[in-house]
Amino acid sequence: QVQLVESGGGLVQPGGSKTLSCAAPGSIFRLSVMGWFRQALGKERELVARITKGGTTNYADSVKGRFTISRDNTKNTVYLQMNSLKPEDTAVYYCKAEKPTITVEDPGRDYWGQGTQVTVSS
């Protein structure tokens, strides 16, 4: 069973910073677009940021200029650097790997991490 392992969540004060990490198996990571999503209590899961194998990124409007997604292809790890955090950033953050179809026998699929809680509060 493929596992994405997230770390770095916790409590942070408004205006503070936090970095999330997500490690994936190399066989998945090197093929995949990696992304961070979040789900606040009572709300639907939403995209925060995505990064392609080549490093092209895109962000939700709500985090542009504050969050940065990056990947280390030597460590099979994707990061989310979060700055100027706001209470509305409070959510469970999930890592996602979007593996493309390689062959008929190896179809594309998505893999999710277990989630890590980020709470922004004074």
Side-chain angles (χ1 to χ4, degrees), residues 1-109:
Q1 183 174 353
V2 174
Q3 284 189 315
L4 305 185
V5 181
E6 298 139 338
S7 61
L11 177 65
V12 60
Q13 291 188 340
S17 298
K18 189 162 281 290
T19 301
L20 304 181
S21 301
C22 171
S27 59
I28 301 298
F29 188 88
R30 69 174 188 268
L31 299 172
S32 298
V33 173
M34 299 298 297
W36 287 97
F37 290 70
R38 67 186 181 186
Q39 188 166 17
L41 196 61
K43 296 187 177 181
E44 293 188 354
R45 193 172 298 188
E46 63 176 3
L47 171 70
V48 176
R50 292 170 79 245
I51 185 167
T52 68
K53 292 182 295 181
T56 300
T57 59
N58 65 286
Y59 297 91
D61 287 344
S62 59
V63 306
K64 281 181 182 177
R66 299 189 299 122
F67 290 12
T68 301
I69 188 171
S70 62
R71 63 191 292 162
D72 186 334
N73 292 332
T74 66
K75 296 181 179 179
N76 301 323
T77 300
V78 63
Y79 304 95
L80 185 68
Q81 173 66 44
M82 304 183 291
N83 298 325
S84 302
L85 282 160
K86 305 174 182 180
E88 50 264 43
D89 294 317
T90 296
V92 178
Y93 284 71
Y94 296 91
C95 175
K96 179 184 176 184
E98 301 169 11
K99 190 186 78 65
T101 293
I102 306 302
T103 65
V104 172
E105 293 76 23
D106 187 10
R109 63 162 290 179

